[in-house]
Amino acid sequence: DTGVSQDPRHKITKRGQNVTFRCDPISEHNRLYWYRQTLGQGPEFLTYFQNEAQLEKSRLLSDRFSAERPKGSFSTLEIQRTEQGDSAMYLCASSQTSGTRYNEQFFGPGTRLTVL
Amino acid sequence: GNSVTQMEGPVTLSEEAFLTINCTYTATGYPSLFWYVQYPGEGLQLLLKATKADDKGSNKGFEATYRKETTSFHLEKGSVQVSDSAVYFCALNQLIWGAGTKLIIKP
């Protein structure tokens, strides 16, 4: 069990650029979640997948955000035309839908995005 | 809509003091409730959970009881240690999160 990994750990970009983040979940986990967290706040749910299907997406999520999990393993989160308000920590978590640790989310270290 | 409200921090206590961090929620249906902890420099990790009314979650000396009548899930510990210093988050269905409460324990 190598844990949830995220890449990159830090990203600095200029306003208007596109960015893409990657998340590799724990291998046997079939659910994968994306959150955004700003300083002094709790995580804000963005979207989640079960296997390759995107089952829920936050109504607050701008259409500039898109996520994929094409083979049911790793996932990518893309932000198009970044804005300064997108600056935040982007967290990924994974969980399994069976077993003793059913539905317990394991979080990655996050990707910190700074939009200049 | 669903929401979670946590007491604001920071909460500063002396070692061996009793801890309560309040969490109340608004929800339709019967949500599951969670407490997560984030130690300095580390990622979020599950502390405890409760999936139905009157359930008590417990771990590492922390407890929380799911109270449907008061829509609360307060976190308690009888005797805190310096190593408990962290940020604690209450979450509803792991999709709606409180703002977090920073806990500082002084020796």
Side-chain angles (χ1 to χ4, degrees), chain B residues 34-45:
Chain B
F34 300 80
W35 278 101
Y36 275 78
V37 59
Q38 187 167 30
Y39 297 103
E42 298 184 16
L44 284 160
Q45 54 187 278

Side-chain angles (χ1 to χ4, degrees), chain B:
Chain B
N2 295 347
S3 67
V4 171
T5 303
Q6 282 183 240
M7 65 188 287
E8 286 191 22
V11 172
T12 304
L13 296 171
S14 297
E15 207 165 19
E16 300 183 2
F18 184 87
L19 167 72
T20 301
I21 299 178
N22 291 339
C23 172
T24 57
Y25 68 90
T26 303
T28 54
Y30 302 94
S32 295
L33 298 170
F34 300 80
W35 278 101
Y36 275 78
V37 59
Q38 187 167 30
Y39 297 103
E42 298 184 16
L44 284 160
Q45 54 187 278
L46 178 66
L47 180 60
L48 53 83
K49 66 180 181 182
T51 57
K52 60 183 188 297
D54 300 326
D55 267 3
K56 178 186 283 188
S58 61
N59 186 25
K60 298 183 181 180
F62 290 88
E63 293 183 340
T65 302
Y66 186 158
R67 302 273 188 211
K68 192 169 186 299
E69 64 275 13
T70 54
T71 61
S72 66
F73 192 55
H74 303 322
L75 183 68
E76 297 182 334
K77 186 174 185 182
S79 176
V80 292
Q81 305 300 312
V82 172
S83 58
D84 294 326
S85 298
V87 181
Y88 292 81
F89 293 91
C90 183
L92 187 153
N93 288 338
Q94 297 180 106
L95 299 182
I96 308 294
W97 293 68
T101 302
K102 184 173 184 178
L103 175 64
I104 300 169
I105 306 299
K106 296 187 173 180

